[in-house]
Amino acid sequence: MRNMIAYCGLDCEKCDAYLATIHDDQALREKTAKLWAQLNGAPILPEHINCQGCRADGVKTVFCDSLCGIRQCALKKGMETCGDCPDMETCRAVGEVISNNAEALENLHG
């Protein structure tokens, strides 16, 4: 499995935080921070939008690094991704992701 597939199956290479980081795109950081702040009702600033990928070495957003329950669970269980977990089919957390993103489910089964 590609290292840029997150534990939940999302493709980090398509994430605006990742794209802003690798291209050092301040305008995309600002746009992403504004959108994520609105969606999450949280004070997210452009300087928070730096991430090199969920499973990759390097910087991560605060959410991805320490607040994402899916990532924390997979790390605790020692799973490469949720696709390796026997509880994936009944997991509500990853279920929310894959119900909104068919590609994530394909990535987990890929």
Side-chain angles (χ1 to χ4, degrees):
M1 175 172 297
R2 287 187 9 249
N3 196 38
M4 295 310 294
I5 299 300
Y7 292 101
C8 64
L10 293 175
D11 187 342
C12 293
E13 290 178 327
K14 295 180 180 178
C15 175
D16 285 342
Y18 173 78
L19 293 170
T21 302
I22 64 163
H23 297 295
D24 196 19
D25 185 336
Q26 189 60 24
L28 183 55
R29 274 191 188 94
E30 291 171 8
K31 175 184 168 191
T32 303
K34 183 177 179 180
L35 175 63
W36 288 9
Q38 290 171 345
L39 291 174
N40 295 290
I44 299 172
L45 303 173
E47 54 265 28
H48 299 147
I49 306 300
N50 288 293
C51 192
Q52 293 175 317
C54 176
R55 296 188 312 118
D57 291 337
V59 67
K60 290 163 191 26
T61 65
V62 171
F63 177 80
C64 295
D65 187 42
S66 56
L67 301 176
C68 176
I70 293 171
R71 183 173 186 273
Q72 296 304 314
C73 179
L75 287 170
K76 181 180 173 184
K77 290 182 175 183
M79 300 288 166
E80 184 177 359
T81 69
C82 293
D84 297 329
C85 182
D87 302 323
M88 185 182 93
E89 300 299 326
T90 58
C91 177
R92 290 179 52 202
V94 79
E96 287 183 31
V97 173
I98 59 180
S99 70
N100 291 309
N101 190 313
E103 182 184 6
L105 181 59
E106 290 174 28
N107 289 337
L108 291 174
H109 289 296

